[in-house]
Amino acid sequence: MTDANLFDRLIGANPDPSRIAIETVDGMRWSFADLAAESGRLANLLVKRGVKPGDRVAVQVEKSVENLILYLATVRAGGVYLPLNTAYTLNELAYFLEDAEPSLVVCDPSKAEGIQAIASKVNAKVETLDAKGKGSLTAAAATAKPDFMTVARGGEDLAAILYTSGTTGRSKGAMLTHDNLTSNALSLVDAWRFTEKDVLIHALPIYHTHGLFVASNVTLFARASMIFLSKFDPDVVIRMMDRATVLMGVPTFYTRLLPHPALTIESTRHMRLFISGSAPLLADTHRAWSTRTGHAVLERYGMTETGMNTSNPYDGDRVPGAVGPALRGVSVRVTDRETGKELPRESVGMIEVKGPNVFKGYWRMPEKTRTEFRHDGFFITGDIGKIDQRDYVHILGRGTDLIITGGLNVYPKEVESEIDALAGVVESAVVGVPHPDFGEGVTAIVVRSRDGGPTEEQVLKALEGRLARFKIPKHAIFVDELPRNAMGKVQKNILRDKYAGLYKNG
Ligand code: AMP
């Protein structure tokens, strides 16, 4: 087997000891050689804890450099890295751990007790890691040897599993291979002209494809460096622009930075590139950003299952409201949703993609995997869009009713099921309506039984602890009945239109 392990390509066999890969705002620094040594210690520990090639390492921790090194160490040891959103409750975690059957779970010390109970059911060991990079994991790794022979992997072997929720409410684990991650990062380095001179402001979470693979892998591949922020903070981001060259963000970053008085042509002068993705960037935001800073935001489009598919050009028109042409090596087409027949340019249909970036399938869901791919290997994204005369892709909406709030996905069905289970509730429909801060605000439309039912406050309170905070509706509105079409389907578009102005004033 020729070795295709992503780790060796990210860090290199003989990293330049002096080159800085990561720094934090409080002045901590990690060179590429430090990443090699620290990931070596952790990889030795993982092996000692019984992690074998192909084993899953599930990780639900706050963002820290040690967390990123744990990702590198897992891949290096031949394991499969499985990050989980820190907002998931124990109730939600039980599903992921039972489905993925990891051999090791790493969690925040505050959650260790609850997770231990779930982990023991699947015979997984538990280690802890806190927001400061401290815990049983790093304590044990401190005495381990830094040298570690990277475990050889084939290009088709799994490097990571990232869960994406399903419209039926069941989450699916997207299986990503060493080749998927390598090919996508390399084409982005090229498309966005990353070099070792670049300094990325890394303010994204690293349990998601955007912060973990796009931001981190691209920077490491380019031998560039990143300023690692524990979270997005407009003041800090603007302060860092003096030394940085690139910002990658979700649209919410841009809408939150725009009102900041310190955002000017002068304060962004050192920056060469602002990138946006994970949700639609409003054309208005794009224009306002150009006017304020003189920079045209470069918008790209991707998803957990595919990595990045399209990008506006580095040189050439960055069109507001469009996500640009397909990346090198990626094929994008638009088809008739029902027949799968390819449609001509400018026609609206289902966006489908094919390329080395496209995942291997859903973990332990061969049937689901089969139905999401066409016979000729194209993956059916679920996004509705069109391709224009210049090959730019435009995303017009989602086939499913996925809600994206603050860059995070919420599948209505999952929230509806929890609401419907409450005493006195007949049924509910959960939709996303425009929200000035979050892009979309999760909103529940609820039908109560005739003889009473919960108040708005009672509905929202009942969801706490059942659902991650970002999935909990901002409002529950009561109606006598839901609008339905002739086939009996709830017409969510009518609800979205009706409540479009709900969050107008924040
Ligand atoms: P995720 O798997 O969490 O990355 O979410 C992927 C989904 O986010 C895609 O299928 C799109 O619906 C949406 N998305 C990502 N980037 C964009 C973009 N630039 N414009 C519009 N929607 C986007």
Side-chain angles (χ1 to χ4, degrees):
M1 175 167 63
T2 50
D3 185 20
N5 194 311
L6 172 72
F7 175 86
D8 279 350
R9 309 202 55 186
L10 285 177
I11 304 297
N14 295 302
D16 177 348
S18 60
R19 180 165 286 288
I20 296 300
I22 305 178
E23 56 179 303
T24 56
V25 270
D26 49 11
M28 303 274 287
R29 295 171 141 215
W30 285 258
S31 66
F32 278 83
D34 292 333
L35 294 185
E38 295 309 314
S39 67
R41 284 186 217 282
L42 269 180
N44 276 313
L45 178 69
L46 295 180
V47 171
K48 204 163 143 200
R49 292 287 184 268
V51 175
K52 294 184 291 301
D55 278 4
R56 279 74 59 209
V57 175
V59 179
Q60 190 198 36
V61 299
E62 295 298 329
K63 182 180 178 184
S64 67
V65 175
E66 288 77 8
N67 176 190
L68 189 73
I69 296 172
L70 174 58
Y71 152 62
L72 297 173
T74 303
V75 171
R76 190 174 188 186
V80 180
Y81 188 70
L82 196 165
L84 293 160
N85 189 328
T86 42
Y88 287 136
T89 63
L90 278 179
N91 179 34
E92 290 162 312
L93 282 179
Y95 167 73
F96 295 116
L97 300 187
E98 278 160 26
D99 187 53
E101 295 188 305
S103 62
L104 181 70
V105 183
V106 181
C107 67
D108 192 85
S110 64
K111 286 203 175 160
E113 209 180 308
I115 286 181
Q116 183 69 61
I118 308 168
S120 58
K121 283 195 200 148
V122 291
N123 289 324
K125 295 196 173 69
V126 176
E127 296 284 352
T128 61
L129 185 67
D130 70 13
K132 294 201 155 52
K134 301 269 182 285
S136 67
L137 186 84
T138 39
T143 55
K145 286 203 177 65
D147 301 321
F148 183 87
M149 179 71 94
T150 300
V151 174
R153 299 265 78 193
E156 286 292 297
D157 285 329
L158 301 193
I161 294 178
L162 264 59
Y163 274 88
T164 79
S165 302
T167 39
T168 55
R170 273 202 76 192
S171 290
K172 303 178 295 253
M175 300 190 289
L176 295 154
T177 67
H178 287 261
D179 274 359
N180 289 152
L181 301 181
T182 302
S183 66
N184 206 227
L186 286 177
S187 80
L188 293 175
V189 166
D190 194 43
W192 297 338
R193 311 279 196 274
F194 260 74
T195 72
E196 55 185 43
K197 293 203 183 75
D198 276 309
V199 179
L200 173 84
I201 301 175
H202 193 311
L204 294 157
I206 54 170
Y207 51 72
H208 186 269
T209 185
H210 195 167
L212 186 61
F213 301 138
V214 185
S216 308
N217 285 357
V218 166
T219 307
L220 294 172
F221 261 119
R223 300 284 177 267
S225 69
M226 46 191 145
I227 304 172
F228 215 65
L229 308 182
S230 55
K231 61 177 181 12
F232 174 73
D233 176 336
D235 290 327
V236 180
V237 168
I238 292 183
R239 206 152 22 92
M240 292 302 130
M241 286 182 189
D242 253 5
R243 302 196 281 124
T245 60
V246 184
L247 174 71
M248 291 185 193
V250 292
T252 315
F253 282 17
Y254 294 97
T255 52
R256 288 199 182 166
L257 284 166
L258 268 170
H260 201 296
L263 184 81
T264 59
I265 289 186
E266 191 48 46
S267 64
T268 57
R269 198 177 291 285
H270 197 260
M271 298 288 289
R272 74 170 178 88
L273 184 59
F274 290 93
I275 303 174
S276 177
S278 288
L281 181 79
L282 292 176
D284 275 356
T285 309
H286 192 288
R287 290 190 202 100
W289 192 267
S290 292
T291 310
R292 273 292 281 289
T293 68
H295 292 274
V297 176
L298 184 152
E299 186 173 9
R300 93 296 179 284
Y301 157 62
M303 58 197 303
T304 302
E305 290 95 327
T306 63
M308 299 305 103
N309 297 313
T310 73
S311 171
N312 271 280
Y314 189 78
D315 299 312
D317 277 352
R318 299 178 193 167
V319 177
V323 294
L327 285 162
R328 191 191 63 207
V330 180
S331 307
V332 179
R333 70 184 182 195
V334 168
T335 61
D336 181 290
R337 279 176 83 175
E338 306 307 323
T339 64
K341 212 169 139 274
E342 187 163 358
L343 297 173
R345 278 164 204 271
E346 301 290 350
S347 314
V348 174
M350 177 60 73
I351 299 175
E352 301 185 357
V353 298
K354 186 178 175 178
N357 54 316
V358 176
F359 75 136
K360 199 171 176 172
Y362 293 112
W363 172 254
R364 292 183 178 164
M365 286 188 179
E367 236 359 273
K368 185 76 194 154
T369 302
R370 251 192 300 282
T371 59
E372 302 292 313
F373 281 89
R374 302 281 184 205
H375 292 304
D376 58 1
F378 273 80
F379 173 62
I380 305 165
T381 63
D383 289 315
I384 302 301
K386 63 175 189 177
I387 302 175
D388 70 16
Q389 300 297 345
R390 296 200 298 171
D391 290 339
Y392 281 51
V393 174
H394 299 249
I395 299 173
L396 299 177
R398 298 178 290 274
T400 61
D401 289 305
L402 175 74
I403 300 166
I404 302 184
T405 181
L408 296 169
N409 290 356
V410 178
Y411 286 87
K413 184 79 192 162
E414 198 186 352
V415 185
E416 289 160 8
S417 307
E418 294 288 348
I419 297 175
D420 293 353
L422 301 176
V425 170
V426 176
E427 61 172 343
S428 63
V430 170
V431 293
V433 299
H435 189 290
D437 202 12
F438 295 100
E440 288 185 306
V442 181
T443 307
I445 321 298
V446 183
V447 180
R448 284 183 288 200
S449 55
R450 283 192 198 286
D451 48 0
T455 61
E456 176 176 22
E457 203 192 346
Q458 286 167 336
V459 170
L460 303 183
K461 187 103 192 101
L463 300 177
E464 281 176 23
R466 305 284 309 162
L467 292 169
R469 194 162 287 279
F470 70 87
K471 297 180 192 170
I472 297 179
K474 306 222 172 304
H475 275 299
I477 296 163
F478 298 102
V479 294
D480 289 337
E481 58 175 14
L482 298 175
R484 286 193 147 83
N485 69 10
M487 303 301 290
K489 281 194 204 304
V490 175
Q491 292 169 299
K492 289 193 166 173
N493 52 333
I494 293 178
L495 293 173
R496 279 190 213 105
D497 289 348
K498 186 164 174 194
Y499 298 108
L502 195 61
Y503 303 107
K504 241 195 189 122
N505 300 315

